[in-house]
Amino acid sequence: MADLFPPRIDMETPSIARMYDYLLGGKDNFESDRKACEELAAGIPELVSFANDNRAFLGRAVEYVCSRGVDQFLDLGAGLPTTDNTHQVAQRADPGARVLYVDHDPIVLAHGRALLGENGTTAFLLADIRDPGPILSSPEAIDLLDFDRPVCVMLVSLLHCLPDDSDPFGMVRSLMKRLAPGSAVIYSHIVSDDHEAAAWMTEKILGFGTPWGRVRSPEEASRAFEGLELVSPWLDDRDEGPRTVDCSTWRHEDRPPVFRPEEPSVKRWELAGVAFKP
Ligand SMILES: C[S@@+](CC[C@H](N)C(=O)[O-])C[C@H]1O[C@@H](n2cnc3c(N)ncnc32)[C@H](O)[C@@H]1O
């Protein structure tokens, strides 16, 4: 499928994958991406820690899902390679763990293949997750993943990239229907409980000409978990408080889970959770 997409890279329009790379301290970004991040950071001073906290959540969540015996990962909207990529975290726990990385940005495919290589346990696919059917039936998925066994679908910092008219939550439902019981979802989504703060960030990113969705409310973003069983966000598995929390506090050693950042001036956060298909 990858060969159907010409590797065209538009250096003038900021790309979400390259902006995120810049925020994480990476080098695979252009002037347009850096400028866009600086403009966003002017209104969202916590932007860099926002990105780093999300990435750290991804690592803790992959470790947790491995500890529950899942050894296959479909990392949708995977982003550019960075430290502790999904297969590195998963293969520390289980050397046989398999990861299919999927992204629609050609730079992710190019750098992913060049930096991480592809072997019998990882592969990259250039595809748009708005249409998951061709991803599941791709030769890459069929070679790597056994869909008769549980698969962990990763939707980390991804669904806010999709506008409402592409029905992101319908996509999650139809994807989960096709997976075996015991499959998992690792999920985070930029949310806000302040209408103006949500609209500011959404309008800013769309104003760059970058394809994006929107900042949603926590209630809207939680729709990704419909029909699934959310796990405790506490390291000791206690059944207390909300199960979707600020990503920086999900099963964190030193931070008790909180629904939203306690600092009132922080008006946007990544709502995060991990759930299993019964
Ligand atoms: C903010 S990054 C998140 C990267 C990684 N999941 C993480 O959380 O560390 C969002 C990624 O989703 C990708 N993306 C956005 N819309 C997509 C789509 N429709 N299909 C596939 N990938 C998409 C972007 O290219 C970008 O790499």
Side-chain angles (χ1 to χ4, degrees):
M1 176 188 279
D3 296 339
L4 297 177
F5 293 81
R8 271 185 306 107
I9 291 175
D10 172 358
M11 293 165 59
E12 306 305 323
T13 311
S15 116
I16 294 295
R18 298 188 317 243
M19 287 167 65
Y20 185 64
D21 173 72
Y22 176 61
L23 294 173
L24 293 179
K27 301 268 178 285
D28 300 323
N29 47 73
F30 302 126
E31 183 56 31
S32 61
D33 308 306
R34 297 189 280 273
K35 195 163 164 277
C37 287
E38 301 309 337
E39 278 186 38
L40 271 178
I44 311 174
E46 61 280 4
L47 193 64
V48 168
S49 56
F50 207 68
N52 282 287
D53 285 341
N54 177 66
R55 193 69 202 178
F57 157 71
L58 182 151
R60 295 196 300 281
V62 170
E63 266 175 24
Y64 174 78
V65 169
C66 286
S67 77
R68 297 273 306 255
V70 177
D71 62 356
Q72 313 188 85
F73 294 81
L74 183 56
D75 190 346
L76 301 176
L80 278 153
T82 174
T83 48
D84 269 352
N85 299 288
T86 298
H87 75 282
Q88 290 157 331
V89 178
Q91 289 173 2
R92 273 203 296 269
D94 177 348
R98 290 160 174 252
V99 181
L100 176 59
Y101 292 103
V102 180
D103 206 288
H104 72 161
D105 191 322
I107 200 166
V108 172
L109 184 80
H111 285 248
R113 284 187 171 155
L115 291 180
L116 302 180
E118 286 185 297
N119 52 45
T121 55
T122 59
F124 287 85
L125 182 62
L126 188 64
D128 193 318
I129 60 125
R130 286 176 293 181
D131 187 7
I135 297 175
L136 299 184
S137 59
S138 66
E140 289 87 345
I142 289 167
D143 280 355
L144 206 59
L145 306 174
D146 173 0
F147 288 105
D148 292 332
R149 295 198 299 112
V151 172
C152 175
V153 174
M154 299 178 56
L155 301 161
V156 185
S157 213
L158 172 64
L159 292 197
H160 48 244
C161 298
L162 302 187
D164 293 331
D165 62 12
S166 60
D167 191 15
F169 301 103
M171 181 279 289
V172 179
R173 267 197 313 278
S174 72
L175 186 57
M176 291 312 291
K177 251 191 216 155
R178 298 176 63 173
L179 300 184
S183 290
V185 176
I186 297 178
Y187 176 71
S188 64
H189 189 302
I190 300 175
V191 297
S192 179
D193 49 13
D194 177 311
H195 181 72
E196 260 179 47
W200 185 87
M201 184 171 186
T202 298
E203 282 160 23
K204 198 86 195 153
I205 297 178
L206 291 174
F208 299 143
T210 302
W212 211 60
R214 67 182 175 94
V215 177
R216 296 188 170 89
S217 69
E219 294 71 26
E220 289 173 314
S222 297
R223 289 183 53 205
F225 293 117
E226 278 168 12
L228 304 174
E229 288 171 357
L230 274 155
V231 305
S232 169
W234 294 87
L235 262 184
D236 62 6
D237 283 323
R238 81 181 76 158
D239 187 10
E240 184 182 310
R243 294 195 158 209
T244 55
V245 296
D246 170 12
C247 73
S248 68
T249 66
W250 187 87
R251 294 183 85 91
H252 192 282
E253 266 185 3
D254 309 317
R255 302 178 191 150
V258 294
F259 179 66
R260 80 175 309 294
E262 274 156 7
E263 176 56 59
S265 66
V266 177
K267 295 192 161 52
R268 309 155 195 90
W269 69 99
E270 291 253 12
L271 169 139
V274 171
F276 283 80
K277 177 174 173 173

